[in-house]
Amino acid sequence: QKEVEQDPGPLSVPEGAIVSLNCTYSNSAFQYFMWYRQYSRKGPELLMYTYSSGNKEDGRFTAQVDKSSKYISLFIRDSQPSDSATYLCAMRTNAGNNRKLIWGLGTSLGVNP
Amino acid sequence: DTEVTQTPKHLVMGMTNKKSLKCEQHMGHRAMYWYKQKAKKPPELMFVYSYEKLSINESVPSRFSPECPNSSLLNLHLHALQPEDSALYLCASSQGRQGARGNQPQHFGDGTRLSIL
């Protein structure tokens, strides 16, 4: 079993839809959770960064962390064609000098006009 | 545009060539990273520099040689690469201090797309 599981999709939705992207994980020591967006031929761009459990909202994006279920989500409201990209979840423990991120495979999202 | 700048954007080299990839950031970050990314895969960590000292080497072959000349610059020297080394090479940076108050996310450049002939 991988430490982080993420459905690679592809996921295709119409413009204006609410998109839900998810990752599950097995290591209960993970404390920091990130969502990155990666366009074709570009580097990953940080979208959301959360510590421990709870919700965080930034514009059309909401990140949720449920540590009891070991489950994180990214919601995109009013999706736009410009949201078409690969979305990667990443997480890390708080141990010592740990800087290593554990990544999901990424979900490919297409938003159709 | 990202705040982490990588050059060149594209590089084609033969297996006997020597070349270098460069990365620069001016965010005052004291941790810098090299990643390798293959198509449809997540980034794979290669090296981490913390306060200009190499702190993590993920068992990377010696044909890849990192260098951190100062807190803003990170180089990756390449020599005698193999065709399987063709990939997108990403640089990232983050604030230096770890711990509950200091854990900050990594910010990535747009990478160098490397092709080995």
Side-chain angles (χ1 to χ4, degrees):
Chain A
Q1 182 189 7
K2 290 182 180 176
E3 277 194 281
V4 178
E5 300 274 5
Q6 183 178 10
D7 186 342
L11 181 62
S12 182
V13 301
E15 184 175 354
I18 296 174
V19 176
S20 173
L21 303 168
N22 311 295
C23 290
T24 58
Y25 61 93
S26 57
N27 188 348
S28 58
F30 287 141
Q31 295 271 28
Y32 296 90
F33 303 92
M34 286 136 277
W35 285 96
Y36 286 87
R37 176 176 64 193
Q38 188 171 22
Y39 292 113
S40 180
R41 301 188 175 278
K42 294 287 189 181
E45 172 193 3
L46 180 69
L47 280 179
M48 302 293 276
Y49 176 65
T50 52
Y51 171 69
S52 196
S53 284
N55 294 358
K56 186 173 184 178
E57 188 173 323
D58 184 1
R60 296 185 294 112
F61 299 91
T62 299
Q64 287 185 352
V65 175
D66 181 348
K67 291 193 72 181
S68 62
S69 302
K70 298 192 183 70
Y71 188 88
I72 68 170
S73 301
L74 178 70
F75 297 97
I76 307 174
R77 290 183 297 281
D78 186 25
S79 56
Q80 302 295 310
S82 58
D83 295 326
S84 299
T86 296
Y87 290 80
L88 293 141
C89 66
M91 49 199 79
R92 144 181 106 200
T93 69
N94 192 29
N97 284 321
N98 177 45
R99 297 186 184 278
K100 186 171 181 178
L101 298 179
I102 308 302
W103 296 83
L105 283 179
T107 299
S108 176
L109 172 67
V111 180
N112 305 307
Chain B
D1 290 340
T2 69
E3 294 181 88
V4 177
T5 304
Q6 291 188 242
T7 55
K9 292 191 186 308
H10 303 276
L11 180 61
V12 179
M13 57 187 287
M15 288 190 284
T16 58
N17 292 157
K18 286 185 181 180
K19 296 284 184 183
S20 297
L21 309 184
K22 297 187 183 301
C23 175
E24 189 169 3
Q25 58 87 17
H26 294 289
M27 295 180 282
H29 290 172
R30 301 305 296 273
M32 297 186 76
Y33 310 74
W34 279 115
Y35 286 86
K36 174 183 178 180
Q37 187 178 27
K38 296 284 241 183
K40 299 191 186 301
K41 297 287 187 184
E44 180 184 340
L45 184 65
M46 300 174 71
F47 302 104
V48 180
Y49 273 83
S50 178
Y51 291 85
E52 295 91 69
K53 287 185 172 24
L54 184 65
S55 63
I56 295 177
N57 177 340
E58 289 285 300
S59 302
V60 179
S62 59
R63 57 186 185 267
F64 296 91
S65 175
E67 178 196 19
C68 189
N70 61 54
S71 60
S72 300
L73 293 174
L74 187 66
N75 299 322
L76 186 63
H77 303 298
L78 313 173
H79 174 56
L81 294 194
Q82 304 297 308
E84 61 266 27
D85 297 323
S86 297
L88 180 68
Y89 287 84
L90 293 162
C91 174
S93 69
S94 68
Q95 290 189 13
R97 296 196 180 277
Q98 292 293 88
R101 288 185 176 274
N103 265 306
Q104 294 296 321
Q106 296 172 28
H107 297 265
F108 286 81
D110 280 336
T112 294
R113 191 160 297 279
L114 177 65
S115 297
I116 307 299
L117 300 179

